[in-house]
Amino acid sequence: MPYDLWYWPTIPGRGEFVRLALEAGGIPYRDRAREEGEDALIADMTGHDAGPAFAPPYLVTDGGTIAQTANILLYLGDRHDCAPGGIRQRHWIAQLQLTMMDMVAEAHDVHHPIAVDLYFEDQKPEAERRALAFREQRIPKFLNYFSRALAAQPGDWLGGTRWSYADLSLFHLLAGLRYAFPLRMAALHDRYRALAALQDRVAALPELSDYLASSRRLSFSEEDIFRHYPELDAP
Amino acid sequence: MPYDLWYWPTIPGRGEFVRLALEAGGIPYRDRAREEGEDALIADMTGHDAGPAFAPPYLVTDGGTIAQTANILLYLGDRHDCAPGGIRQRHWIAQLQLTMMDMVAEAHDVHHPIAVDLYFEDQKPEAERRALAFREQRIPKFLNYFSRALAAQPGDWLGGTRWSYADLSLFHLLAGLRYAFPLRMAALHDRYRALAALQDRVAALPELSDYLASSRRLSFSEEDIFRHYPELDAP
């Protein structure tokens, strides 16, 4: 039985990290809200008594419902060909994934530093201050860490000699950062050549070529986590 | 061999979620930076080529180093008596833990909405705006979710009929919220009686009585994640 993935149907968002693993792993799934619309997602979420999730994405399996992006990926990595085997590598990949999710949350809060319920326009001065700190301090701090993590591997991938869901996630995270902060990421390009090379390797994976060329791969936009507001970017 | 836990030695912080599981689970460990000081922690962190962690806490095991709080707890839950058995429950508890860690990060950002590298005093107007949204929107949203999660269980605990690391974490999260936002939490008390009762059950666990009465249990402070600044609290 294919998995049911539930996520907002019009943005890559956090759902994209799960989609990439499902697609590259050749794992059958239905992207339910893309088939049935956002109202179906809202109805499904409110239909679970305990709440299947605090927020999408969530995955429906034979055994129940699993939420939290890194938790879904851990589950998929245990069962399908998208994570390295062995306890140590399993928790290493989970550790990297969780650190990426922390950076994703910070990238979101750049344009929403005060409240998710307010518009960007209602928190713009604060967003400009937070963007400065994110560009100057946080992007290098996270990317230095991922660079060191990659350099310590015996192979070309974060988990060693074969790609895992963490590489797919880093590919999407870097793409999102380049979309939202093109000037800053261009200025940092030479410092993070090894990460850019990893991004290129993922983009060239035969397992992903159909997906990346398809309409299933949604575009970034200013409704998403990674948003390009020119006033928040600088070299 | 006992585990080595590494975390900042003067605050509960995120390390406390791990300490509670180690203590309640009767799992032998050494709290290395509490024995050897903060300089030893910094030396240990910089001594790992790939970085053992983006940030503490991390746990040293026979097989390597594991970082990210929820990842450490997942590892401990698989090996020791602090999580329910079975795949479904395992990922359910991990899902709740990750949602708690999201709330912890938001509680931190209330007093640091702009940058972790700036003092609170340098981002106080922004903190006051963010605190309003956190008190009014985010605390109820998260606590409603944890309430529904608890109400859906067949027993008194988030994982059913026995405590797990997620209950210990919710105990500490609620304690932190009461410390940081005493007026708001008092105003919400009647709405979340079931969560307060869970907090009381954890406080009364025989497995934790020695620890909670000891000097190993550190106090909250304004150096920590949960900080009490009166200007950020209101009913």
Side-chain angles (χ1 to χ4, degrees):
Chain A
M1 194 184 87
Y3 294 109
D4 280 348
L5 172 66
W6 287 95
Y7 192 68
W8 305 113
T10 55
I11 58 168
R14 287 180 174 81
E16 192 63 12
F17 300 103
V18 181
R19 283 193 194 101
L20 285 166
L22 291 165
E23 294 280 351
I27 304 164
Y29 75 105
R30 294 172 61 197
D31 203 335
R32 290 289 300 272
R34 292 212 66 195
E35 295 177 9
E36 297 161 46
E38 188 165 311
D39 288 349
L41 168 60
I42 292 165
D44 190 73
M45 285 191 71
T46 49
H48 294 256
D49 189 35
F54 183 74
Y58 56 93
L59 192 76
V60 184
T61 75
D62 283 341
T65 298
I66 298 174
Q68 281 279 357
T69 309
N71 193 35
I72 297 170
L73 290 169
L74 188 80
Y75 177 89
L76 292 175
D78 284 347
R79 272 154 203 79
H80 302 279
D81 199 20
C82 60
I87 300 292
R88 182 178 183 162
Q89 286 294 83
R90 174 175 194 272
H91 288 277
W92 167 245
I93 292 299
Q95 170 180 327
L96 293 174
Q97 186 67 39
L98 285 163
T99 308
M100 284 187 254
M101 299 321 292
D102 287 345
M103 191 182 193
V104 167
E106 291 194 24
H108 170 273
D109 282 7
V110 166
H111 51 78
H112 275 72
I114 300 300
V116 288
D117 295 330
L118 295 176
Y119 291 108
F120 167 61
E121 289 69 22
D122 296 325
Q123 46 196 311
K124 205 160 135 179
E126 296 92 341
E128 289 178 7
R129 282 194 80 192
R130 180 146 183 162
L132 175 67
F134 186 73
R135 290 194 312 267
E136 296 289 324
Q137 311 295 333
R138 302 303 284 173
I139 291 180
K141 184 165 168 139
F142 278 106
L143 297 192
N144 284 346
Y145 178 68
F146 296 129
S147 293
R148 292 205 314 278
L150 181 59
Q153 300 306 312
D156 279 343
W157 306 97
L158 289 168
T161 53
R162 192 190 177 247
W163 65 266
S164 71
Y165 67 74
D167 300 288
L168 310 179
S169 290
L170 189 56
F171 156 81
H172 186 66
L173 171 58
L174 291 168
L177 292 170
R178 283 187 218 293
Y179 174 83
F181 306 99
L183 299 176
R184 181 58 176 153
M185 291 299 286
L188 291 172
H189 182 265
D190 285 355
R191 212 191 291 180
Y192 301 112
R193 283 184 183 282
L195 296 182
L198 178 93
Q199 194 184 354
D200 291 343
R201 282 194 293 280
V202 172
L205 282 176
E207 296 92 327
L208 275 182
S209 59
D210 283 355
Y211 174 66
L212 294 179
S214 75
S215 62
R216 299 198 301 286
R217 169 81 170 167
L218 293 162
S219 301
F220 291 114
S221 77
E222 282 57 65
E223 304 293 320
D224 197 6
I225 294 168
F226 301 104
R227 301 189 188 182
H228 178 53
Y229 294 123
E231 56 268 56
L232 302 186
D233 190 24
Chain B
M1 195 183 85
Y3 294 110
D4 279 349
L5 172 66
W6 286 96
Y7 191 69
W8 304 113
T10 55
I11 57 169
R14 287 179 175 81
E16 191 64 12
F17 300 103
V18 181
R19 283 193 195 102
L20 285 167
L22 291 165
E23 294 280 351
I27 304 165
Y29 75 105
R30 295 173 58 198
D31 202 336
R32 291 289 299 273
R34 291 212 66 195
E35 293 177 11
E36 297 162 45
E38 187 165 313
D39 288 349
L41 168 60
I42 291 165
D44 189 74
M45 284 191 71
T46 50
H48 295 255
D49 189 34
F54 182 76
Y58 57 94
L59 192 76
V60 183
T61 75
D62 283 341
T65 298
I66 298 174
Q68 281 278 358
T69 309
N71 194 33
I72 297 170
L73 291 169
L74 189 80
Y75 177 90
L76 292 175
D78 284 348
R79 272 154 204 80
H80 302 280
D81 199 19
C82 60
I87 301 292
R88 182 178 184 164
Q89 286 294 83
R90 174 175 194 273
H91 288 278
W92 166 245
I93 292 299
Q95 170 180 326
L96 292 175
Q97 186 68 39
L98 286 162
T99 307
M100 283 187 256
M101 300 320 292
D102 286 346
M103 192 181 192
V104 168
E106 292 193 24
H108 170 272
D109 282 7
V110 166
H111 52 78
H112 275 72
I114 300 301
V116 288
D117 296 329
L118 295 176
Y119 291 107
F120 167 61
E121 289 69 22
D122 296 325
Q123 48 196 312
K124 206 160 132 178
E126 295 92 341
E128 290 177 7
R129 280 194 82 193
R130 180 146 184 163
L132 175 67
F134 186 72
R135 290 194 312 266
E136 297 288 324
Q137 310 296 332
R138 303 303 283 174
I139 291 180
K141 184 167 168 139
F142 278 106
L143 297 191
N144 284 345
Y145 177 67
F146 296 130
S147 294
R148 291 204 316 277
L150 181 59
Q153 300 306 312
D156 279 343
W157 307 97
L158 289 167
T161 55
R162 193 190 175 246
W163 65 266
S164 71
Y165 65 75
D167 300 289
L168 309 178
S169 289
L170 189 55
F171 157 81
H172 186 65
L173 172 58
L174 291 168
L177 292 171
R178 282 187 220 291
Y179 174 82
F181 306 100
L183 298 178
R184 181 59 176 151
M185 290 300 285
L188 291 172
H189 182 267
D190 285 354
R191 214 192 289 180
Y192 301 112
R193 283 185 182 281
L195 296 182
L198 179 101
Q199 194 184 354
D200 291 343
R201 281 194 293 279
V202 172
L205 281 176
E207 295 93 328
L208 275 182
S209 60
D210 283 355
Y211 175 66
L212 294 179
S214 76
S215 61
R216 299 197 301 286
R217 170 80 170 168
L218 292 163
S219 300
F220 292 114
S221 77
E222 281 58 65
E223 304 294 319
D224 197 7
I225 294 168
F226 301 104
R227 301 189 188 182
H228 179 53
Y229 294 124
E231 56 270 56
L232 302 186
D233 190 24

